[in-house]
């Protein structure tokens, strides 16, 4: 069996230590903040960025371009390994399309190597959880062809459910109208959203108050994940660790979850979702 590498981008929001443990390589998206173009991260400077966002500072983001993908993928191919690339959702970024362009060029240069590019249709630690499962399957002995097929077959069972604390960030991103944001803020309405099968963020319901919105995330895991092994779930947060820990306690109590990995929503995704974002990721019957 030919050796291969799993490659992804920073949209997965996995910390450096975990990426190293999983032997996964990543290419970063970028965020423009305080006049600097910075590499996306959940490690360096993340709390400072959230503090800036809370203070009203703006940030903009950029996708991975084909050249950056080519540089990373070629390192694997030139070492005699095949590559499985799993990307940030095409519904939110052009990062997947850039990876396809890069892969097509590299296939001509390395005709004896195998390159698979999968649109993860996922984001943040939803993408991270998909990568985590892929690594477990790789360790179990799946070939690169088998693993690419497994990811394609199972990615739409990776459920993303989240809520935000400040509706104005969704307004700026065009997800809701100004009127909805203003009225919702006045009434303390918190949206409950998910990622659909096309990798877009969709507003699904509303909760009255922060606690109710967090409880709603746990309820979704109960409803959708009952027939799946969810002994491990992932949670990401926009600098609201106490809320993330409360959600973790809920899913451990109500869903029998043994392990919950809690991490930051990264700089790129967090600049769009804002401080106070809270998301739960698990396997389910459907999204």
């Amino acid at each position: 069996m030919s050796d291969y590498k799993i490659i992804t981008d920073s949209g997965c929001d996995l910390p450096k230590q975990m990426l190293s443990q999983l032997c996964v390589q990543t290419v970063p998206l970028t965020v423009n903040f305080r006049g600097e173009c910075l590499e996306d991260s959940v490690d360096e400077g993340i709390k400072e960025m959230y503090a800036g966002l809370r203070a009203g500072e703006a940030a903009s983001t950029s996708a991975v371009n084909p050249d950056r993908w080519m540089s990373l993928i070629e390192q694997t191919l030139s070492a005699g390994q095949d590559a499985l690339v799993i990307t940030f959702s095409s519904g939110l970024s052009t990062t997947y399309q850039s990876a396809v362009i890069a892969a097509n060029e590299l296939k001509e240069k390395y005709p004896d190597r195998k390159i698979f590019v999968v649109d993860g249709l996922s984001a943040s630690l939803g993408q991270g959880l998909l990568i985590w499962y892929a690594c477990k399957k790789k360790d179990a002995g799946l070939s690169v062809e088998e693993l690419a097929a497994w990811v394609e077959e199972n990615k739409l069972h990776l459920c993303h459910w989240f809520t935000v604390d400040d509706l104005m960030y969704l307004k700026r991103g065009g997800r809701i109208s100004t009127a909805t944001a203003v009225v919702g803020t006045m009434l303390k309405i918190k949206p409950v959203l998910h990622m659909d099968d096309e990798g877009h963020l969709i507003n699904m319901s509303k909760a009255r108050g922060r606690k109710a919105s967090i409880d709603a995330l746990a309820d979704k895991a109960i409803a959708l994940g009952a027939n799946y092994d969810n002994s491990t779930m992932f949670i990401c947060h926009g600098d609201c660790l106490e809320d993330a820990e409360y959600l973790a306690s809920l899913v451990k109590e109500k869903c029998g979850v043994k392990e919950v990995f809690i991490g930051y929503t990264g700089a790129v995704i967090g600049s769009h979702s804002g401080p106070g974002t809270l998301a739960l990721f698990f396997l389910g019957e459907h999204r």
Side-chain angles (χ1 to χ4, degrees):
M1 183 187 298
S2 177
D3 189 20
Y4 65 96
K5 281 278 189 184
I6 296 174
I7 300 171
T8 191
D9 54 74
S10 65
C12 68
D13 284 349
L14 291 171
K16 286 182 178 179
Q17 183 178 6
M18 184 178 289
L19 289 166
S20 177
Q21 291 170 347
L22 295 173
C23 297
V24 171
Q25 295 178 307
T26 60
V27 61
L29 286 81
T30 55
V31 57
N32 294 286
F33 183 62
R34 293 177 176 170
E36 292 186 76
C37 183
L38 307 170
E39 291 190 350
D40 185 24
S41 175
V42 294
D43 296 292
E44 293 85 8
I46 190 67
K47 286 186 72 67
E48 184 179 353
M49 193 203 76
Y50 276 110
L53 292 175
R54 284 193 173 97
E57 297 181 60
S60 60
T61 61
S62 300
V64 181
N65 62 39
D67 287 343
R68 295 207 73 170
W69 273 122
M70 284 187 67
S71 178
L72 181 62
I73 298 170
E74 189 166 17
Q75 291 176 27
T76 293
L77 304 179
S78 63
Q81 296 175 298
D82 298 327
L84 171 57
V85 183
I86 305 172
T87 75
F88 189 24
S89 172
S90 63
L92 298 174
S93 171
T94 59
T95 294
Y96 165 71
Q97 288 84 353
S98 293
V100 171
I101 293 169
N104 287 338
E105 290 195 32
L106 289 168
K107 284 175 183 177
E108 295 183 11
K109 188 174 180 180
Y110 296 88
D112 296 330
R113 297 266 59 88
K114 300 170 185 174
I115 312 171
F116 294 88
V117 180
V118 178
D119 181 357
L121 294 175
S122 300
S124 192
L125 284 179
Q127 181 181 340
L129 185 55
L130 184 62
I131 296 293
W132 184 81
Y133 275 115
C135 290
K136 289 183 67 175
K137 294 293 181 181
K138 181 177 185 289
D139 291 344
L142 266 63
S143 68
V144 65
E145 296 93 344
E146 291 168 335
L147 185 53
W150 183 90
V151 175
E152 286 284 8
E153 291 168 5
N154 288 275
K155 64 188 182 183
L156 295 184
H157 292 291
L158 207 302
C159 301
H160 299 52
W161 284 88
F162 70 104
T163 187
V164 299
D165 198 37
D166 188 340
L167 291 168
M168 292 303 171
Y169 286 91
L170 294 180
K171 178 192 77 71
R172 291 169 198 155
R175 301 294 174 187
I176 60 175
S177 68
T178 300
T180 298
V182 171
V183 173
T185 300
M186 291 173 59
L187 297 177
K188 297 184 179 179
I189 297 297
K190 306 297 180 183
V192 177
L193 308 96
H194 88 138
M195 180 170 280
D196 68 11
D197 288 354
E198 286 73 48
H200 300 112
L201 304 182
I202 304 296
N203 191 356
M204 294 298 290
S205 62
K206 300 172 184 176
R208 197 69 176 267
R210 178 69 165 177
K211 182 178 181 299
S213 69
I214 298 174
D215 291 344
L217 302 183
D219 291 342
K220 289 298 181 182
I222 295 169
L224 297 173
N227 297 322
Y228 284 77
D229 178 4
N230 278 301
S231 53
T232 298
M233 290 186 184
F234 281 16
I235 292 172
C236 72
H237 66 94
D239 201 34
C240 53
L241 181 58
E242 287 187 8
D243 289 341
E245 290 174 338
Y246 170 66
L247 177 57
S249 70
L250 285 180
V251 295
K252 285 180 179 179
E253 175 189 346
K254 296 184 176 183
C255 304
V257 179
K258 296 178 181 177
E259 181 182 5
V260 178
F261 173 74
I262 298 174
Y264 266 96
T265 306
V268 164
I269 296 173
S271 68
H272 294 288
S273 59
T277 299
L278 186 64
L280 177 65
F281 307 100
F282 57 92
L283 292 175
E285 195 68 35
H286 58 81
R287 287 191 166 185

